[in-house]
Amino acid sequence: RKILPPGEDVLDIFDFTFPENGLVAYKGRDSIGEQSIQVHLGEEKLKNLINFCLKYMADIDIPVKRGTFIEFRKGMINVSPVGRNCSQTERDAFEVYDKEHHIRRDFVNALREKFADYGLTYSIGGQISFDVFPEGWDKTYSLNYVGHIPEIHFFGDKTFKGGNDYEIYESDRTIGHSVTSPDETMAICKELFFKD
């Protein structure tokens, strides 16, 4: 993720852009693909999933809860037990709390058990949330649009099994780099692509 100066748009900077794991895809400014979890699952299954998440989160005892616990996106649902409206300080505190108490891991396990027949993947990413999407709709989905590119490097921080970068990091179609910060990513890019 990059915050751009006013007036700049990521669609103008890169040849290809893949928001939402590549389920929404652009070549320059032109839309070249889009998938919908709503269409894929159907409204009844989607409501069952969302209702279960809301009930589960109501019973979680964590230090703080804020707002926007479920973010409905085009190709996935993002679930945040602490709430996406938390402050950066609360986000950092939840990340530490979650590492000790495994809130997201246990939540994902409950979803896997309850919705085993829905064909869903659960992917823990970032500090405060996890994504829910149909099997096969992970970040490797974006590779469907760039088969003509002979060498693709992927940089991610959640490259462990169950992390939201795992599948594309492990893909035989990419050269994966596990990183811990934007600075580390830049250092590797400079070494790989900008040697003197």
Side-chain angles (χ1 to χ4, degrees):
R1 293 181 195 152
K2 179 170 173 32
I3 298 174
L4 299 172
E8 286 192 41
D9 190 322
V10 71
L11 299 178
D12 296 325
I13 296 172
F14 299 102
D15 295 335
F16 292 92
T17 310
F18 303 108
E20 297 193 36
N21 286 356
L23 302 173
V24 177
Y26 293 91
K27 183 175 182 182
R29 292 196 140 282
D30 298 325
S31 174
I32 58 172
E34 187 173 277
Q35 294 294 332
S36 165
I37 192 170
Q38 184 176 4
V39 171
H40 182 81
L41 281 182
E43 197 58 45
E44 199 59 38
K45 285 183 176 180
L46 195 56
K47 284 192 315 188
N48 289 341
L49 176 66
I50 291 171
N51 286 342
F52 180 87
C53 288
L54 291 170
K55 289 175 188 171
Y56 188 97
M57 285 186 282
D59 292 332
I60 296 174
D61 185 19
I62 56 177
V64 298
K65 290 185 182 179
R66 294 303 175 245
T68 311
F69 301 101
I70 296 178
E71 187 174 85
F72 182 79
R73 300 177 184 170
K74 189 72 177 164
M76 70 180 76
I77 296 170
N78 179 267
V79 181
S80 176
V82 68
R84 298 201 62 81
N85 292 351
C86 64
S87 68
Q88 186 61 52
T89 301
E90 292 163 337
R91 175 182 288 261
D92 295 340
F94 178 79
E95 182 180 29
V96 170
Y97 185 85
D98 186 45
K99 283 179 181 174
E100 180 181 342
H101 298 281
H102 310 290
I103 301 300
R104 293 183 293 171
R105 183 200 66 193
D106 294 347
F107 196 163
V108 163
N109 287 339
L111 287 165
R112 281 190 179 117
E113 183 178 324
K114 176 73 174 172
F115 299 101
D117 61 333
Y118 275 31
L120 297 172
T121 297
Y122 307 90
S123 185
I124 295 172
Q127 294 178 288
I128 62 169
S129 64
F130 60 89
D131 295 330
V132 181
F133 49 88
E135 291 173 357
W137 288 19
D138 55 66
K139 289 183 180 179
T140 60
Y141 198 90
S142 62
L143 298 175
N144 293 324
Y145 301 103
V146 291
H148 63 286
I149 298 175
E151 185 174 282
I152 299 170
H153 289 259
F154 175 80
F155 297 82
D157 64 337
K158 301 289 192 253
T159 56
F160 54 86
K161 190 167 179 61
N164 68 345
D165 296 324
Y166 176 76
E167 291 84 0
I168 195 165
Y169 172 77
E170 288 289 326
S171 173
D172 60 1
R173 293 162 43 191
T174 66
I175 299 167
H177 304 274
S178 190
V179 294
T180 58
S181 70
D183 289 337
E184 183 180 7
T185 302
M186 286 301 298
I188 294 170
C189 285
K190 286 176 183 175
E191 176 66 26
L192 289 171
F193 309 119
F194 303 104
K195 289 182 183 178
D196 290 322

